[in-house]
Amino acid sequence: MASLPKPELGVGVFLLKGNKVLLGRRRTAVGRNTFALPGGHLEFGESFEQCAAREIKEETGLDITDIEFLTVTNNVLSEPKPIQLIAILMRAVVADPEQTPVNLEPEKCDGWDWYDWDNLPKPLFAPLETVVLRGFNPFLSH
Ligand SMILES: Nc1ncnc2c1ncn2[C@H]1C[C@H](O)[C@@H](COP(=O)(O)OP(=O)(O)OP(=O)(O)O)O1
Ligand SMILES: [Mg+2]
């Protein structure tokens, strides 16, 4: 029997501004063309907060503050390859309100934009879709 890959641990960040969240459409194979929070793999030894700050900096150039854990998701995807994704979802705000997001990894993302929480684009990346379907609200959780 072919062996299946070990689950992957990702960290996604709800970057909040007013009633908006920062999303980008993925260009990578997993979740291609879906709108996702900025985020990526946890690296060895990192805390969730460190991973959140590093991934946001690498992907958008933004510095974040008030980083908090919100919730966790568990998604099994079959396309384009079998993958199980555990996502630690955090929230944060931009440290300097004058700073704007830059698409620093254009091979991985179409570009970053702020979207109204009440009017999210479609389709959403599976972990984000999961929490939206749960009725989860990143602005209300503590
Ligand atoms: N916003 C997110 N919500 C849930 N899971 C996410 C999110 N962003 C990434 N992941 C998960 C999916 C991927 O399997 C894994 C790696 O993220 P991904 O964005 O594909 O790579 P990356 O290039 O940003 O990270 P790295 O460079 O660390 O591999 O983490
Ligand atoms: Mg990423």
Side-chain angles (χ1 to χ4, degrees), residues 8 10 12 26 37-41 55 59 83 85 87 89 108 125 127:
E8 293 188 16
R26 292 172 65 85
L37 304 168
H41 289 108
E55 284 289 346
E59 296 185 349
I83 181 172
L85 281 181
L89 300 184
K108 293 184 183 177
F125 187 38

Side-chain angles (χ1 to χ4, degrees), residues 20-112:
K20 294 175 191 286
V21 297
L22 191 73
L23 300 176
R25 201 161 60 169
R26 292 172 65 85
R27 298 179 64 95
T28 31
V30 174
R32 178 167 297 166
N33 292 335
T34 61
F35 287 87
L37 304 168
H41 289 108
L42 189 74
E43 290 187 354
F44 184 86
E46 277 184 328
S47 67
F48 301 146
E49 290 80 5
Q50 286 169 335
C51 180
R54 177 183 55 74
E55 284 289 346
I56 294 270
K57 187 73 181 171
E58 286 175 3
E59 296 185 349
T60 73
L62 295 170
D63 299 298
I64 60 175
T65 185
D66 299 347
I67 309 170
E68 296 175 314
F69 169 80
L70 288 184
T71 189
V72 62
T73 55
N74 182 4
N75 290 91
V76 179
L77 312 184
S78 49
E79 297 293 332
K81 56 177 183 180
I83 181 172
Q84 182 167 5
L85 281 181
I86 311 292
I88 305 294
L89 300 184
M90 310 292 285
R91 98 174 143 198
V93 294
V94 178
D96 171 6
E98 304 287 293
Q99 239 188 340
T100 56
V102 177
N103 189 16
L104 292 178
E105 296 181 333
E107 71 287 0
K108 293 184 183 177
C109 175
D110 280 339
W112 299 109

